[in-house]
Structures are given as structure tokens and as C-alpha cells.
């Protein structure tokens, strides 16, 4: 009976899709079961479809609605919250073959893209025309714009340039029943009706399938120049962060690495970071006179207690410093067998309390937790390292991960700054939103997806 | 019977509000019937309430739900689309007495305010702490933050700093049934669940009552320096706008005034603007070296055909130039007896076509239509001047106003860049959104306001 249904589903899908767009071999479809998050349940997909056109996606959604089969949209599956994990018997809707850049328009400073375009491909293509697409998640060489929109991704640039949401002007969306809806605009401004564009950003594929996006671009800024500042404690580093932001500075990057992270990066890549320091701040400016701006920022670091402030001489040196930061997550992942990456953002004035709290949690549970942070945003990534073959250590890892979110909420923060909710944090979303918030969010979900077929089991 | 109901309504409202917060004198309540838009129907309110606390607002909404009475939220009623117009028998919910600035936080760069805070009051208060709240609608000395959030207001700053929406991080909202909901965050980043904060911005009081807002602030930029460039045609001025934006410039202001507007401003304020020119561009930078940036921009104007480029010598001269622009709407209003201000935004590459089209519409209908525009955003404000005592001229005014919106949509634009939909443009909203878009927007409205009591007859 179940096999018969799967056969019918495949047949119905094939009626409107090219043969090679419907994958049913279980060895292949199994590879589409999950994204990069730990501790997230994942089911077995019935079928994986890889549409190339809007009409293909419409056919998939019409079929899914008729047969009431769940649909899990996927990009590059680099997400960290299980939002792209398959559910049993679902259609995995992979959008990676819809990967065309349809338009880059320097006068209007927009790009029009399909969802499967890789972030780095777009970034390079617009750079050739003197334009800049800021959002730069760590996975930018692999992750897709559609995935970035689904999760509301951030990156290193956010302290100056904001997150993905701020660059999405308009969308074409295929609704649950296969109808096509246009949202937003191609213009710089527009307030015609409710902002459905923004509603879709961060909705993790639970409201509809984004099949086209109008993105805002900025002119290419001057090359950024970076400095590194060494601190004897995380507290002094966080004091510097507050002083920098209170002082009216607008760095293009303001990152923090704790001692665990520094050592992990050195172990992996022999970067020669100063292991005796307790925290590093990495700052950069992409202004007209970055050296002058760095000098002013460096002074604030020194006043806050930095033991050394080392500005890069040029763009190449700057890039090396940033490389150390970019390796942080990978390096921490190599330390323990398994890692869970948290993503708690707090008001930046609470960054010191957050880091102290994480250290206390690590001690309490007897675990290594390295922290790197988009410090200027107050967005921390505590990385819990553990041996997943040890049940007790796994339990402690999960508990410490949760306690970190609880700490973040207590400090006036949010459980997720840029990674999303997915499966991993859905119990916590309810705690953050409260019952009225959850009820209204569910009401919106029901309005767009009355049958509950769009990425079920995520967010709520 | 009707009188009895009105009596019951007043009595029920007074049970949870101070005596002076409930206004029933028809001579007084009549003054709350409408905002500043022309051609918009307005009913007679049953009562005006002026709450001072969140609990007051909750009481009003609970009462309205129980008695199924419509509620029309109002700020300073400076809106231009009739979104704050009363409906017959409604409760006008004026939020102007909830006017406290609760918090200004320089480290986290946020302000927390009640909805009745006047834009200019907030702007000055944050400026004292070295911070900047960019959104600056023309009515900024009177309009309230709650009204700005309701309409999604813009202003002169948007070409560099964006609109109100980009500065709203979190909200407290009283729902139709009186329950309190929190949305968003106090942190720089956050992607926990659907973005309900953004959904409320521009919703014109149709989804709930904003009673508190967390606003993002920026550091105070350097003082801006302006220039004025004179052009022999609107076409050459628009060519300059495109060249400036394509050239990667980021002016803090880029405004256009057509000949009609120039003359109106001179007539009113004797500003000595050059009446022989067909179009003026006004540009400014608030960068580290604005004179150098203006020089580069001025060259692009000259190449595009400007007959004169006059940079201001200092901040005082710059302010005088901006004053001419700020007077434009008032000056045009003084020309005809009555004016209708349109608000069509087009891709900036279509600005020339838009202005040509508006001139053709003015000729076709035999009317004066002056245009000032936030040129860098492609956001035009064609002002239709007419004698409202002349039925035929009034009809022509209304038809030309509509034809301007049609032109904007044809050029890939939107019917409203920053003024909102209200009563004035609700038929046109449906044209812009299309049937699927309207259906989904209505579904959201129903989810938040199942009884349809929140600002009925607006938007849809």
C-alpha cells in the first residue's frame, strides 16, 4: 500500500517534470535527508525532485497538495538547525538546479536571481560590475541565496551591513497549492500592503517556495583593513566592544575569538595566533581612511586593557587575519568528535555576561565550549565539543546547549541571531515568543499552508 | 437605539479609562475625523479615546471586541492617504498621549519609545547622545513614531539610510481582542520565527495597535554638505541621477524639483531659485570629505548637461538649499486651491520616463502638476493642483492622479513609496498586488482581526 502510494507520487511528479529531475533511488535520496546540524531528527524522503523552472515547482506543489504529501525545500543543506531535514515520506524539493542570475542592474542596484544561485557566485558576479552583495555566511562558497533567504542568514559583514533580510526587495513564491505569488518590488522604496517579502525571509520554507528574488546591492566599498587586538580576559575584550560601538565607530567587521578557539585555529592551521591571550578582537574598516579609523579603534582597545594591538599593513595581511576567524568553526569541529554550534544573540552590552555565563556552563558540564562571536552584533557562536559515542557526554552537551539559550534569553537576547530555528530550537522558539506570539505565528502558517504540507515539524 | 449603544460604549470605555481620556463632545470628536489626504471618505466617530498606558489600550480593544465596534488608531493625523480617517460609529484611538521616550541606549544603539513620541522630539533627544534616528518625513515636527510605523514613512534621508521599516527592531502590540504580543528583539540580529515586526510596519493599524517600539539608531554622521545643479530639462537631470547611482556614489540626499515646483517655492518664500531652469537636482553628502564627494558628483551633473553646479560653502548654506526642498509641498499646495499628492516610486532608471509621462498627463487633463522627487530612490511626488469647487476640474484631478499610478505600475514601479494606501489607493493596491497577493494579504488580516474591527475599509 505504501509502495503503491510512492509509485503514484513518482508517476504524478514525472508527468510534469523531466525524467532526470525525479530521483527515487534510495541510496541517492538518502543523501538528501539532512543539513549540517547535530541532534536533529531526519526522516526518509520518498522522492527528491530537482526542478529547473518555476512551472516545475508549481507542478510539484500542485501534486503535493492533491496527494497531501509533505514537501521539504532544500538549498545546499549547509544549514545548522535541521530546517532542511527530510520528514518520512516527503518530497525533497531541491532548488540547486535553479541557479541562474537573471539580471544585474547597476543603475537600480539590484540583482534578480533564482534560489539555487550560490552566494559566492553571486557575490563575484556583482563585484565585476562594481557592486556588492554583503551577506556572507561562513558557508558562502556553497550555500545558496534561496537557503540564505529561508534561514535569514548573516555573516561577518552584519555589524555594518545587516543580514540577508535587508537585501531582499521582492520575491516570486510558489504557494502550497501551486499558485504563483509576487511580493515586494524592484524599486528602492515601497509600502504597498503588508510586507510579505519580509515574512518569507527566515520562514524556513514553511510558507511557500521562493523561486525568484530581487536583491538590493550596494556599491563596492574600499578594500577593508583589519587589526587584531589581544586581551588578557574576555571581560576586557567585551569592554572594548562596548567602547567602540558607544564611540560611534562603524567597523565593517568586529569579531571575537576566545582562547579555546584561538588554540583550535592554531592546531589546525598553524596560524601563530597568541595562545597566551584570553581573547582576540578582530576589527576592520572599509572606509576612505581605514588606517586612521583603525588607529582610533586601537586606542579604545588599549584603554580597555588590550596587551597588544596589531594593525595589518595591507589588504593581504588583513585577509590572513580574517582567514583565522573564518577557520574558527571548522577548527573547533576538529577538536571534539562532534560539535553543536549555538547562535545566541544578546544586546552587545551583555556580551561580557554572556561569555562569562558560557564559561560557567562549560565548567558545570565538564565540556569544552569554544566561543567565536560577531561581537559587534552581540551574536555569539558557542561551540559545544563532545564525544557522541559517549551517552553521558552527549546528554551533557545537549543540556549545556539548552542552558546557553536560556542564558541568552535571560540577558534579553534571542535564541538565534542568524542560523534559524529548524528542528533544533523549536521548543525554544515557543519560550522566546510566548504563547500569544506562537498563536499568531501559527495562524500565519495556517493561512499560507492550510494542509500543513510545507516543511512540517520545523519552527513550531 | 443608536444613541443607547453610543451611551453604552462610552460607559464601558470609561470603566477602564480616566475621565479625561474619553472625548464624546461631537464638536471635539469631529476634529478627529480625518488625516491630511484629499478625496478620502471620512465617517463620524462615536467617541475619541486618548489612552496613556498599555493597559488603557488593552481595555479599549477588549471593549471594542466585546461590542464589535470598529477602532481607528491615530497619531498626529499628518498622513496623506486617509489611513487615519474615522469610520461611522468608530472608536478613534488617539495615541498622542503615549509620548514617552522610555530608553536611549548608546552602546546597543537603540531607543525604546511609546507610539505618540513626535519624530523630531526623538531625533533631537538621540542627537544629544551622539545618535541618529534617520527617518525624516516632511511632517517630522508633528508626526509620531506610531504613525511613521503605521504608514512605513520615508523622507529625504532614504537614499542613504532607508525607510522607517529598517529602524524597527521590535514591537509591543495590543491585538484586536486586547491581548498583548511582543515581536522582534532588542538585539542587532535575530531570526526567531516569522518577522511579525516587519509585518506591522506599514499595516496602517489594521492588524493591531503598536504601544511600544524598539528602534535602531545610528551614530551621528558628519554634517552634510549640499550642492544644487541646474538642468535645461528633466531628462538631463534624470540622466545625472542614473550616472550618480551607477557611479557608486552614496549621497545622503538626492532630490529633484521640476520647474513648477521651483516657481512655487520662489513665489512662497522668495528663495531666488533659478526660474529659467527646467529642473534642479539637490544632492548632499555626510561623509568624511563631503566637498570632494560633491565635486565628483558635480562633474557627473555637468557631463549630463547641467548648466550650473553650485556647491554650498558650509552647513548653513546647505541648510538653506534643503529648506527650499522642504517647502516644496507646502508651496505647491498654495498654488492651486486644493492638491493631491501622489507617491509613485519607479526603478530609478525609469525616472525620466516617469517625469515625461506626468507632464503628458498634466497636458492631457489641462492641469498643473508639479513634481518633486526623492530622485535617488525613484520616488516621485507629483502634486496635482486643482479647484475643488469646480466639479469638472475635480474629476480631471482624480483621473490624472489615477493615471499617474497606472504609469508608475507600467514602468515597473509601485503606487506608494512611503505614504501608504489608506482609503486613497485601495483599489490600486489590488491592481499592484494581483488577486493571489490580495487573497494572502486578506488571510493575514483575518488571522489578526477575525471580527474586522481594526481600521476597517483601509488597504483593501
Amino acid at each position: 500500500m505504501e509502495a503503491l502510494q510512492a509509485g503514484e507520487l513518482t508517476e504524478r511528479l514525472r508527468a510534469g517534470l523531466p525524467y532526470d529531475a525525479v530521483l527515487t533511488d534510495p541510496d541517492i535520496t538518502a543523501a538528501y535527508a539532512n543539513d549540517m546540524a547535530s541532534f536533529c531528527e531526519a526522516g526518509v524522503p520518498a522522492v527528491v525532485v530537482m526542478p529547473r523552472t518555476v512551472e516545475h515547482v508549481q507542478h510539484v506543489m500542485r501534486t503535493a497538495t492533491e496527494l497531501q504529501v509533505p514537501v521539504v525545500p532544500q538549498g545546499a543543506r549547509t544549514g545548522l538547525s535541521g530546517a532542511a531535514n527530510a520528514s518520512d515520506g516527503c518530497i525533497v524539493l531541491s532548488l540547486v538546479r535553479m541557479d541562474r542570475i537573471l539580471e544585474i542592474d547597476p543603475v537600480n542596484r539590484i540583482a534578480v536571481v533564482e534560489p539555487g544561485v550560490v552566494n559566492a557566485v553571486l557575490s563575484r558576479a556583482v563585484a565585476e560590475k562594481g557592486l556588492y552583495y554583503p551577506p556572507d555566511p561562513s558557508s558562502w562558497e556553497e550555500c545558496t541565496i534561496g537557503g540564505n533567504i529561508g534561514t535569514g542568514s548573516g555573516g561577518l559583514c552584519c555589524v555594518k551591513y545587516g543580514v540577508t533580510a535587508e537585501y531582499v526587495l521582492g520575491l516570486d513564491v510558489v504557494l502550497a497549492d501551486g499558485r504563483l505569488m509576487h511580493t515586494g518590488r524592484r524599486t528602492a522604496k515601497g509600502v504597498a500592503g503588508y510586507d510579505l517579502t519580509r515574512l518569507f525571509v527566515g520562514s524556513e520554507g514553511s510558507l511557500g517556495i521562493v523561486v525568484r528574488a530581487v536583491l538590493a546591492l550596494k556599491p563596492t566599498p574600499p578594500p577593508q583593513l583589519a587589526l587584531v587586538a589581544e586581551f588578557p580576559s574576555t571581560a576586557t575584550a567585551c569592554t572594548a566592544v562596548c567602547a567602540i560601538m558607544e564611540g560611534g565607530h562603524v567597523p565593517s567587521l568586529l569579531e571575537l575569538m576566545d582562547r579555546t578557539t584561538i588554540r583550535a585555529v592554531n592546531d589546525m592551521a598553524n596560524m601563530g595566533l597568541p595562545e597566551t591571550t584570553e581573547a582576540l578582537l578582530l576589527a576592520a574598516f572599509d572606509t576612505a581612511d581605514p588606517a586612521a579609523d583603525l588607529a582610533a579603534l586601537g586606542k579604545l582597545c588599549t584603554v580597555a586593557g588590550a596587551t597588544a594591538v596589531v594593525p595589518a599593513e595591507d589588504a593581504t595581511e588583513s585577509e590572513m587575519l580574517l582567514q583565522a576567524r573564518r577557520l574558527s568553526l571548522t577548527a573547533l569541529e576538529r577538536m571534539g568528535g562532534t560539535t553543536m554550534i549555538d547562535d545566541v544573540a544578546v544586546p552587545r552590552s551583555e556580551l561580557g555576561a554572556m561569555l562569562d555565563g558560557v564559561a560557567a556552563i562549560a565548567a558545570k558540564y565538564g565540556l569544552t565550549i569554544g566561543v567565536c562571536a560577531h561581537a559587534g552584533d552581540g551574536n555569539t557562536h558557542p561551540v559545544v565539543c563532545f564525544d557522541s559515542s559517549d551517552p553521558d557526554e552527549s546528554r551533557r552537551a545537549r543540556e549545556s546547549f539548552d542552558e546557553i539559550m536560556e542564558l541568552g534569553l535571560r540577558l534579553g537576547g534571542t535564541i538565534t541571531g542568524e542560523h534559524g530555528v529548524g528542528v533544533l530550537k523549536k521548543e525554544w522558539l515557543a519560550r522566546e515568543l510566548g504563547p500569544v506570539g506562537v498563536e499568531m505565528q501559527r495562524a500565519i502558517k495556517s493561512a499560507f499552508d492550510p494542509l500543513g504540507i510545507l516543511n512540517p515539524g520545523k519552527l513550531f
Side-chain angles (χ1 to χ4, degrees), chain A:
Chain A
M1 165 85 174
E2 207 169 74
L4 195 70
Q5 282 184 341
E8 188 192 349
L9 174 61
T10 307
E11 199 177 298
R12 293 284 291 277
L13 288 168
R14 287 222 160 100
L17 292 169
Y19 193 82
D20 72 346
V22 183
L23 314 181
T24 55
D25 180 339
D27 291 342
I28 293 172
T29 58
Y32 292 83
N34 49 276
D35 64 19
M36 288 177 64
S38 304
F39 280 117
C40 291
E41 71 211 31
V44 177
V47 56
V48 174
V49 294
M50 311 200 81
R52 286 194 184 274
T53 69
V54 173
E55 293 69 27
H56 290 167
V57 176
Q58 291 186 281
H59 173 72
V60 172
M61 292 314 303
R62 274 193 297 262
T63 306
T65 285
E66 282 165 27
L67 302 181
Q68 302 210 18
V69 178
V71 174
V72 177
Q74 289 184 348
R77 293 182 291 114
T78 51
L80 294 166
S81 69
N85 283 10
S87 40
D88 277 331
C90 77
I91 301 169
V92 162
L93 175 54
S94 170
L95 294 146
V96 295
R97 289 188 188 165
M98 292 181 69
D99 63 352
R100 289 178 304 163
I101 298 173
L102 301 168
E103 208 180 319
I104 298 174
D105 177 340
V107 172
N108 294 307
R109 293 183 184 166
I110 57 172
V112 183
V113 303
E114 293 184 333
V117 172
V118 170
N119 181 303
V121 171
L122 176 66
S123 296
R124 292 191 185 110
V126 304
E128 279 177 22
K129 306 207 174 196
L131 294 162
Y132 175 41
Y133 179 69
D136 61 344
S138 302
S139 56
W140 75 303
E141 291 280 8
E142 298 160 69
C143 64
T144 63
I145 297 297
N148 295 171
I149 291 171
T151 52
S153 312
L156 301 187
C157 73
C158 305
V159 64
K160 179 165 181 179
Y161 293 102
V163 294
T164 297
E166 294 170 64
Y167 296 89
V168 185
L169 298 178
L171 295 171
D172 286 359
V173 176
V174 174
L175 298 176
D177 60 11
R179 289 184 299 169
L180 186 63
M181 180 175 75
H182 309 285
T183 75
R185 57 189 208 270
R186 292 171 62 91
T187 52
K189 287 153 86 179
V191 290
Y194 303 139
D195 191 344
L196 297 192
T197 305
R198 194 65 172 245
L199 193 63
F200 274 87
V201 178
S203 66
E204 301 186 347
S206 68
L207 300 178
I209 311 295
V210 170
V211 290
R212 198 165 293 178
V214 182
L215 303 174
L217 305 172
K218 292 198 175 283
T220 305
Q224 66 181 358
L225 200 64
L227 70 65
V228 64
E230 303 170 23
F231 289 88
S233 64
T234 51
T236 47
C238 294
T239 301
V241 169
C242 291
I244 290 163
M245 300 307 282
E246 189 170 12
H249 293 280
V250 186
S252 51
L253 175 147
L254 186 55
E255 298 287 316
L256 182 146
M257 294 162 67
D258 74 351
R259 193 175 49 161
T260 305
T261 309
I262 296 166
R263 278 187 297 189
V265 170
N266 275 345
D267 285 353
M268 177 178 165
N270 211 0
M271 301 286 281
L273 299 178
E275 300 211 1
T276 53
T277 65
E278 290 292 317
L280 281 185
L281 274 190
L282 216 60
F285 286 96
D286 59 1
T287 50
D289 189 354
D293 290 323
L294 282 180
L297 183 145
K299 267 184 207 157
L300 293 175
C301 290
T302 303
V303 169
T307 51
V309 174
V310 187
E313 296 280 317
D314 52 33
T316 314
E317 255 188 61
S318 294
E319 194 40 49
M320 279 179 57
L321 292 176
L322 301 195
Q323 198 52 30
R325 167 61 185 87
R326 289 214 187 89
L327 286 176
S328 298
L329 287 183
T330 316
L332 286 165
E333 278 165 13
R334 286 162 55 114
M335 279 192 69
T338 305
T339 55
M340 290 186 78
I341 304 166
D342 221 326
D343 174 43
V344 169
V346 293
R348 63 177 72 89
S349 56
E350 302 296 336
L351 194 59
M354 183 70 202
L355 291 174
D356 286 349
V358 171
I361 291 167
K364 173 177 167 187
Y365 288 97
L367 291 169
T368 298
I369 305 181
V371 182
C372 50
H374 308 308
D377 297 321
N379 189 182
T380 65
H381 291 312
V383 180
V384 182
C385 306
F386 64 102
D387 176 359
S388 60
S389 69
D390 177 338
D392 184 66
E393 199 164 315
S394 297
R395 178 193 55 77
R396 282 181 282 135
R398 177 78 228 197
E399 283 179 27
S400 66
F401 187 83
D402 286 354
E403 206 163 316
I404 289 167
M405 286 191 276
E406 188 166 28
L407 170 65
L409 290 180
R410 210 161 57 233
L411 294 172
T414 172
I415 57 164
T416 174
E418 57 183 14
H419 292 173
V421 176
V423 175
L424 190 63
K425 298 187 171 183
K426 59 185 186 175
E427 284 83 14
W428 285 88
L429 180 67
R431 286 180 67 161
E432 177 164 342
L433 297 179
V436 182
V438 168
E439 183 184 322
M440 296 322 298
Q441 299 233 349
R442 280 185 184 276
I444 288 171
K445 166 74 174 169
S446 296
F448 280 92
D449 182 22
L451 299 176
I453 59 171
L454 279 166
N455 212 7
K458 313 297 161 53
L459 279 167
F460 306 115

